[in-house]
Structures are given as structure tokens and as C-alpha cells.
Amino acid sequence: MTLTPMKLLISLLALLAFHCGQLAAAEPKRPNLLFILVDDQSPFDLKTYNPKSSLDTPNIDRLAREGMVFEGAYHMGSFSGAVCTPSRHMIMSGRTVWHLPIAPNAMQKGLCPPQLELQTIPAVFNRAGYATMRTCKQGNSYEAANKLFTVRHDATKRGGTAESGSAWHGDRVMDYLQQRETTKDAKPFLIYYGFSHPHDERDGTPELLAKYGAVNHTDTSAPPPANAKQPALPPNYLPAHPFHHGHPGLRDEVAVSGVWERRDERTIRNELGREFACGENIDIQIGRVLAKLKATGELDNTYIIYTADHGMAIGRHGLQGKQNLYQHTWRVPFIVKGPGIKPGSRVEGNIYLLDVLATLCDLAGIAAPETSEGISFKPVLEGKQPTMRDVLFGVYSGGTKPGMRSVKKGDWKLIQYDVMNGAVREQQLFNLAENPNEFVKEHHAREVIAQTGVKPEPHQLNLATDPRHAAKLAEMQALLLSEMRRLHDPWRLWNQPGDGLTPPPDAPAKQKATKKLP
């Protein structure tokens, strides 16, 4: 039978439609992304990093068993006492610490592009056709980016009830997932599931406070009551830091309710109990969401990242806050579960939080924005390589300037302090393989050992003054300077060349020079 031109055209169109339909059906479904961010948590709170921890987090533990645990995940640092603010800017934008829109003089020096918010997580994924949703604390973050999420429920919830605590954030995500199910929304989602805890005030629920033997202590004249249920002191606890940390009047060190300037055993153990009560409640809220995703059939196609904006001291090294560069605070917990990730795997990783944007894009098959300076660690997730970097840099300069700097390569780590207008100039050199708790000589004191029950080995010390490690100290000093130059750090330490920099206006006058950063 001879086909007329019209019938031939109709047949061709039908054939084309059939093949297009087959191709569409063959295309893999784009993955969902669940990014969980808690506020102030040391990795050593969690059993997956510290088996001796008494914090119960069965849902986070399950993520670790079914996914990948990163031993080496870090936030790059801060130029502000509110460490979470630059950290959350880095997460959203993929920019390094001195290249943020809020970094000192970054915009004036052309180190940050204008309208960066249009190249952040919500903007990129909105353009890619994802449904974007966010719940988190209010403030101390990147507001211009936060408001770009299609659905947003931000509020600071640090109380001990369902309405005033972490359950509020959990409810927002549960409501969102229920709405997706009701409306049969088939778009892939990106959910930014943030919490306001365990940041202080650490007002946990009454039943969880009781479990960890803690009270919301309000009496400044006396320490809280002792309770055998409270978590043990950290192994690197000290009653005071060996020298001034360099930020006089810092809120986190002098004004946290229930702690204030106390570092006695009863105060620290009670505060850890409060921290753990808040941490377990977060785990409960995560468990609710994971169960909902499983019930709706979306869990197996969802990448889940669990992390914190930075670590926390709470008695470690005699400190309370997040304004330091020890491993308990510079490092962050980081766990990833999802399609193709080997269950129960552990890697060093050597990633920064600023790598999150590039990695989320890579997992979703989206081009990362050119403004991102992060590196996708998808090759690590796929088991193709163990690390992304050889060298890691950290900074805290929110107090007296220049502040603290750190660099890590392999097992070796250097921290330098140039604070209190030159009155404190200290160096700490640690071999983390041999001294993972970063013990210093004060940890060897008889009275400290009696409190912690931990006796450091004789070699577990700050090695910066040991002449046997002079060459390693010099090597790490040179490496630190190289990283500071590469990242456009606007300050130099006492034992570094001035480089002709003009630091920001609040730097000490004696450090100013005539040339500007090239």
C-alpha cells in the first residue's frame, strides 16, 4: 500500500515520539539531596569518631554504617567570633575564607565577585529544576542566599520543648515531605535540614537532660550539682588554657549560661550532658525524616550528608567555645550516605565544608558555578581516591590580630598564635598519628590525670621546642606562609615576612604597610 505524504509524516512523528519516550524512560532519575547541618558539634561527641562517647545517636550511627565517614573534614576558619557566619557562607558559596563577601576588604580588593548569592546552593539548584527547601536557625549565616530557597522556615529554636527545640525543625521537613507526597511532586529535592542546637543555650528536653545527668544551671555563684550519669571529661580536658587564647571578653569563653568562666569538672561534665541531650534530640529528628523518606520510596535515591558548621571545645584544652584550631574544633563530623557509596567505609578525605556546593552539583549532574573555589569530592565517595588535598589551612582572627593560623600535612600539624598585641606568640607542633588528642605538657600534670583518668605517653607533647623536630617545624612554617599567600590572608605573623600588605583597618598599626595586596 502506498503511503500518502500526510500518512508518512504521521508515521514518522509517531515513531519519533516512541523513541523519545524510550530515551526519557531510560534516563536515570536525578538524585535527591538531604544536607543536614547542626550548630556547634565536635566530631568527638559521636561514637563513630569516639567509641567511648556516651552520646546515643542510633540514626547517625546507622548513616555511618550504611555510608562513608570522613576522618579529615574541616571548616577553613573565621575572621569573626561568630565562627558559624563565615562557615555558612563558605558552605553556600564554595568560596575560600578570605574570598567571601563579608571577608575584610574582599569586595574592595576584587577578591569576591558581586551578587555572589546568585551562584549559591539554592540559586544553582533552583535553575536546575530542583525543588529547594530550607529550615535552620535564624541569623549568623548568608541571608542573601538563604532567602532564595523556594520553601524556607528559619527560626532559632534552642529550647527544651517540641515547639521551642529541634523538633520544630524536624516538623518543618516532615510537613514538606508530606506535602510532596500529597501533591505527587516528582521534582528531585534539595533539602537544607539545619538545626539550632547543640549551640548554647543547650536547653534539652527534661527527659534527655535527666538521661545525661544534666541541669540547665543558672547560679553563677556555684557550680552545678555532680551526677554520675554525666559524660566523662574529655581526655584532653584542662582547667585552663596554657596561655591566653587572644580574644579578651569573648562571649563563648566568659558568658555562656551555665559555664561562664568556670572550667571545673562539675561545670564541664554538666555542660557536656546538656550538649549530649541536645545532640540525641537532633538524632531523633533525623530518624523521623529518614523513616518518612523510606516510607515514600525516596530514601534509596537520596544522598544524605551529615555535618556541623564547626567543632566545639567544651572543656577540651581548657576552652569552651569554637574560636580555636585544635582538632576538636577545626575538624567537623562528616558522614555521607547515598547511591553507589560503599557501606561502612572510612576515608581521610581532606575536604573543606566549602567543597559541599561543588560536590552536590557533581552528584546531581549539574555544572558547578564558576565562582565556586571548592573541589568536588565525588571521586572519594566513589572510592576512586582517598583524599582531595595534601595540605589544609585554618584561621581564627576574630580577636586580637593577626590571630591564630594552622596548617596540616600528613600526620603533622602546626598552630601559631600571634595575639594580644604581640604579648602572646606561641607555636604548637603535633604529630597527630602519635598524639591525636594534641596533649601538651599541662595534660601530664598529676591533678589533671586524676580528673580525666588519662595519662599521656611521655612523647605526647607539643614538639615545637624540641630541637629534634626543628627541621619539621621550619618545613611547616614555610608551608603555612605559602598557604596564607595563596589564599590572600591579609595578615602576617611575627616570624613571617611582611609582604608589603595593608591589613584591614582594625589591624594593629604596627602591622600596616604601604603596599596593597597584589
Side-chain angles (χ1 to χ4, degrees), residues 225-247:
N227 190 312
K229 294 180 180 179
Q230 292 168 351
L233 287 174
N236 47 11
Y237 161 81
L238 285 177
H241 195 257
F243 47 87
H244 201 289
H245 53 76
H247 196 153

Side-chain angles (χ1 to χ4, degrees), residues 3 69 85 168 176 180 210 269 291 390 412 423-424 449 458 460 497 499:
L3 293 177
V69 175
T85 303
W168 187 91
Y176 177 73
R180 277 179 59 89
R269 290 186 63 189
D390 294 327
W412 289 94
V424 175
I449 295 171
Q460 292 180 319
D499 286 354

